[in-house]
Amino acid sequence: MTKSKKNRDEGEIVRLRTRLFLVASLTASEGLEHLAAALTAGDVASVLIAEPAVEGKAFAALARPFVELVQKRDVAVILRGDARLVQRFGADGFHSDGDITALEEVIAALSPGLIVGAANLPTRHAAMEAGEAGADYVFFGHPDNPQANDPDMLLERAEWWQSLFVAPCVICAPDLASVGGLARTGADFIALGPRIWRSGDDIRAAQSAIDAAFAG
């Protein structure tokens, strides 16, 4: 899910259009139907499949059909929870929300063949540590609790990261109304948590906001 590239002659960082990063809640067939509709409603780069309350065999049973659906659409599948399941499912990467030591262990196990993202980054220092450790993306915000996402902090963090670093950043939108402003920062990806998007219409609204931000 690399989104930035360097001009080798001039050393210039070229930012491409912001894309969507969906967080899918693992529920039964209704969740699969919503996800299938979402994948055709906007420019979705990645889907994070996660359910913190479900682990082990229960997670595996729920996650498998979601992984299969997303990969059929040529969208990257990122898992959260148990890194061992990434290779078992043939997923594209792992979303680490542990400390820096846990992140380094996952990177050692999965990189460079698979994506490893870093989340739970409350400070600039934590984000820089994750980048220096080799994270393939940094994730700002809380997909499970959109009320905890401070819009001003997210805008500040996106602008700061984009101005200094090449590694992609994912900014978790607190609501659909904030998507356009986040896109204008040049954020590589905007994440929509399961409490923010509930249908293809929500994805179309987010995509329209991104398109409008880049049209100017």
Side-chain angles (χ1 to χ4, degrees):
M1 53 182 285
T2 299
K3 171 97 168 22
S4 305
K5 62 181 181 179
K6 282 195 174 184
N7 182 313
R8 292 187 178 181
D9 296 328
E10 301 177 5
E12 178 186 0
I13 297 174
V14 179
R15 298 289 178 183
L16 305 180
R17 180 181 289 264
T18 299
R19 304 184 70 193
L20 292 170
F21 182 112
L22 302 186
V23 183
S25 179
L26 291 183
T27 57
S29 59
E30 183 180 5
L32 280 172
E33 292 174 2
H34 287 168
L35 183 56
L39 292 173
T40 62
D43 183 17
V44 179
S46 305
V47 174
L48 171 61
I49 296 177
E51 181 55 67
V54 179
E55 299 178 354
K57 293 182 178 180
F59 180 94
L62 282 171
R64 190 177 298 280
F66 281 78
V67 171
E68 292 174 352
L69 170 66
V70 175
Q71 290 188 328
K72 286 179 181 177
R73 304 298 177 92
D74 293 323
V75 173
V77 178
I78 312 296
L79 299 184
R80 184 177 76 180
D82 187 344
R84 295 171 297 180
L85 294 178
V86 172
Q87 292 173 313
R88 176 178 170 185
F89 287 141
D92 299 286
F94 183 72
H95 185 86
S96 175
D97 49 14
D99 60 19
I100 188 65
T101 300
L103 174 65
E104 290 171 341
E105 290 175 352
V106 175
I107 289 173
L110 300 181
S111 291
L114 297 169
I115 298 165
V116 178
N120 191 22
L121 306 170
T123 65
R124 286 185 173 191
H125 178 71
M128 288 189 292
E129 275 194 325
E132 291 169 358
D136 295 299
Y137 67 84
V138 295
F139 187 104
F140 298 114
H142 306 277
D144 303 318
N145 184 14
Q147 290 79 12
N149 292 326
D150 180 344
D152 292 336
M153 183 278 289
L154 291 172
L155 285 169
E156 179 275 327
R157 204 56 52 87
E159 290 170 349
W160 164 72
W161 187 268
Q162 293 298 99
S163 69
L164 295 174
F165 304 101
V166 177
C169 77
V170 184
I171 305 293
C172 192
D175 50 45
L176 286 174
S178 66
V179 170
L182 292 173
R184 283 190 287 274
T185 69
D188 299 285
F189 303 95
I190 294 177
L192 301 178
R195 298 185 186 182
I196 303 300
W197 73 272
R198 298 181 183 277
S199 69
D201 289 340
D202 294 329
I203 304 304
R204 278 186 281 274
Q207 186 63 55
S208 294
I210 291 172
D211 292 343
F214 278 83

